[in-house]
Amino acid sequence: MRLLSAVFLIALVGGVGYLTYVNNHTTAVSAGTWHGELPLPALVGGVYVLGMVSGWWLIGLTKRSWQRVTEPERA
């Protein structure tokens, strides 16, 4: 089972590496008054990380809110 997992992991990393190599061109980005050019892999990676952080924040907020609503009243 570990061998199969390792093969899938190597295939995933290889696929991501290949796509990064093939799509390595700059992309124009503008945010308000800021304009710049970023490599596409860096832009995709940055957006992915921001999505993970905001997702963790939203799940944590929901979990804490649920716990506060369902905990018994203190006297």
Side-chain angles (χ1 to χ4, degrees):
M1 190 62 165
R2 285 186 179 198
L3 179 63
L4 187 61
S5 295
V7 168
F8 282 132
L9 182 61
I10 290 170
L12 178 67
V13 170
V16 169
Y18 175 72
L19 288 173
T20 301
Y21 175 74
V22 169
N23 293 314
N24 194 12
H25 59 276
T26 58
T27 304
V29 179
S30 63
T33 59
W34 181 82
H35 301 285
E37 291 191 358
L38 293 172
L40 185 62
L43 180 63
V44 170
V47 168
Y48 179 75
V49 168
L50 286 175
M52 282 193 324
V53 169
S54 66
W56 287 334
W57 173 79
L58 183 62
I59 288 172
L61 178 69
T62 305
K63 183 179 176 182
R64 283 188 303 275
S65 297
W66 181 258
Q67 288 173 347
R68 288 181 184 145
V69 167
T70 58
E71 77 179 12
E73 291 280 331
R74 294 184 185 172

